[in-house]
Amino acid sequence: MPRNGSPARLVVALSVAAALAIFLVYTSIAGGGTPTLRPSQLPGHTGKVQLEGRIAGTPAGDAHGAGLRFTLHDVKGNATVPVLYRGTVPDMFAPGRAVVVSGRLRNGTFVAVPGSLLTKCPSKYTPASKS
Amino acid sequence: MADLGRAALVTALGLLAYATVAGTFAAWKRRRRLAASAQNALLAAFGAAVAASAVLLIALARHDFSFTYVSQHTSKALPLGYTLTAFWGGQEGSLLLWLLVLCAYGASAVLWTRRIARDLLAWTVPVLGFVGSFFAFMLVFVSSPFATQAAPADGAGLNPSLQNPYMAIHPPMLYLGYVGLTIPFAFAMGALLSRRTDERWIVATRRWTLAAWTFLGVGQLLGAHWAYVEIGWGGYYAWDPVENAALMPWLAATAYLHSVMIQEKRGMLRVWNMVLVALAFCLSIFGTFLTRSGVIQSIHSFAESPLGGWFLAFICIVVVASTVLIILRLPLLRAKTRLESLVSREATFLYNNLLLVALCLTILWGVIYPIVSQLVRGETSTVSKPYYNFFLHSFGLPLLLLMGIGPLVAWRRASPRALGKTFLWPIAAALVVGAALLAGGAGSSRVGVIAYTFSVFVLASIVLEFTRGTRARKALGTETWPGAFASLIARNRRRYGGYVVHAAVVLLAIGVAGSSAYQTVRERRLGPGDSLRVAGNVYVFRGFVTRREPNHQEIRAVVDEYDSHGHKVARLAPGKNRYFREQQVSNEVSIRHDWLTGANSYLIADQINANGTVDLKVLQKPLVDLIWLAGFVFVAGSLITLWPDAREERRLVERYAGAFAEA
């Protein structure tokens, strides 16, 4: 059976090309993903980023009013950044917890996108050994 | 006690390693008795896994906190049900569940296939043994559930979001799905290794694949429902890496289930099927790697654990080995026939496969994007909802459309005239409904209207298929209409069960489109007596009530819902639970189901304030209950296709008797 010029191959090639084209169009329009940074990496970034860190001190303010203010501490370093947040506060939100929040830096304060705060819940799966 | 568990695991590891080595040697040298002993080792390994699981269950039930695992995941106040389901509440237990399910599948596949096609097992047993050995090795040396300590007075308790009835059913379902994909993979690799690359391995594993695929699908829907009622943000799917981890193998398996039909019927796509089955299995292992390694940030978040490296190594071995094997056996996998026309049943299956795989791979790209961007640019970047939604629309909507086209197109070659006649009614129905929706104001979401229109098209074509089939059977003989309908399904379980599954997917699409494209959200701070109006309905806050339970305190905001005529429709009570031992708060939403329209009023007490006010969030979600209804239809359809059919078995035996003699 001659295998050259099989329509199946043509279809596969064309579809793969089409899928790739759609993909490239998307990435060129949307410009890829949002960077995820730690507080120490934040200076210099003016665009929208995801910030991850550990909550330091006691959060103050009203998340459904003027906004909740808390400080995020670098998980690996000593840098900190103040955060202003409005919207839903996850159940697990508490001092010492690791969180991720989207937003951008304005005049030294990280102004969060409302409702973007996520907590990481380390209690669900624990490491096998803490040695 | 713990020693008994450890011994059972070591025994399991020994037996599985023996099944791998002895099985390989037996298959290589064609030693019948040795092959039988390798099979028996696989059966015995199931016994050892059961013993290890029993030890862990007993330790959980007895609150034996000298087991580190028990003390980390339960407490004395935890209800018995959740104490037992804590079996899979942590990493070590989850791995043990994986091994148990794998051994159960392996043992039953051996027992089943031994009777009808012993020769298929020769190389399958060592592959199963190898996969099993990996998990047993992890349990013995890396992550043991039987580590012991000096018993503390009480345990740390279980994460509140795991204290939910879904905890009892969602993880086991997912595992039955993930692990079940090992069976078709092992048989496929077995077929390649033994050079028996005819269609018999596909026939032998069809029900196993279908069962695993059904479990995986149901497991995901249960997880979505769990998130919907428990996590309390008003959604059911967030494109989180861990959710995607279960979706990807399901998509690959869906593609596989369709393309094997082409191979059975026309002898085409044989290489492709091997690739798909390997892809589905690798993705299921990759899913476990994702959830366990903490390599990718997820809201399901996990502490980093030493498992990651091992899993990565295992995935690499599997990918390289299956790729090399497929390449080595390429000459045996030549297609027997070729595609005759781009407008034929085969061609629509091909398009369906390409779309499913494209969707699967773009999701995979999104999942690994943080790692890739870290490697390439030195900065971790993530893609989120817009990325996934874009590809869901680009590939998912055409898939939906194909689901209506495929079943109506003739095999081999379809004439445009016949097509026009066949599609007249479905197209008319879709256009009428589409126009009505636009007139009714559904145009606010273009994607929503497209999804609805396509859905109607698919449903109409399914109804058409059932009507045509029933009419043909009625014309044949003396059956009544219901009798003809029943015998139509009974005689073609695969085909009509498949259509029922298609109907489930349509319901899912309608539910997802309705609840995401047309939902209304309002939030406001309310004091007692204050009200909030959302899409015609009024919600009045009455005040708080509190209640104390053994291991937590409940606080509920009592809210009365009134319809647009001022009639009270329901009293709802969203609130929060405070867990004493775990020192955590959990959000408890309150949902009113409108059984007639499938709409939900979804209430969240977002923040409970000290001055007696509540920040109430109300979501009106149309048609969302169709998603859960789709789950039941999906199971019904799968059961129809899975139901044993003596007629079909006979047909297959006859058909493959020739192939058997050849081998």
Side-chain angles (χ1 to χ4, degrees), chain A:
Chain A
M1 179 99 23
R3 290 184 51 83
N4 291 340
S6 155
R9 296 200 160 191
L10 183 72
V11 171
V12 172
L14 286 179
S15 317
V16 170
L20 265 178
I22 292 177
F23 190 81
L24 287 175
V25 166
Y26 177 82
T27 41
S28 61
I29 292 171
T34 319
T36 303
L37 304 172
R38 300 195 305 273
S40 59
Q41 300 167 313
L42 204 51
H45 279 271
T46 49
K48 191 182 154 193
V49 299
Q50 278 198 314
L51 181 68
E52 65 176 340
R54 210 170 277 286
I55 302 161
T58 316
D62 183 352
H64 293 269
L68 186 71
R69 285 178 185 278
F70 56 92
T71 305
L72 275 190
H73 192 271
D74 208 309
V75 182
K76 290 178 184 161
N78 286 318
T80 59
V81 63
V83 179
L84 176 64
Y85 174 79
R86 284 191 185 84
T88 303
V89 178
D91 296 336
M92 308 283 240
F93 185 84
R97 283 259 205 274
V99 300
V100 187
V101 61
S102 316
R104 57 182 81 218
L105 196 61
R106 284 203 185 116
N107 303 326
T109 300
F110 189 79
V111 181
V113 174
S116 68
L117 184 65
L118 295 174
T119 44
K120 304 179 84 180
C121 46
S123 55
K124 185 173 172 186
Y125 296 109
T126 47
S129 66
K130 286 178 179 128
S131 57

Side-chain angles (χ1 to χ4, degrees), chain B residues 177-198:
Chain B
Y178 269 142
V179 184
L181 292 176
T182 315
I183 298 296
F185 172 76
F187 274 82
M189 294 303 119
L192 287 179
L193 284 163
S194 61
R195 297 169 196 270
R196 293 198 172 93
T197 50
D198 55 80

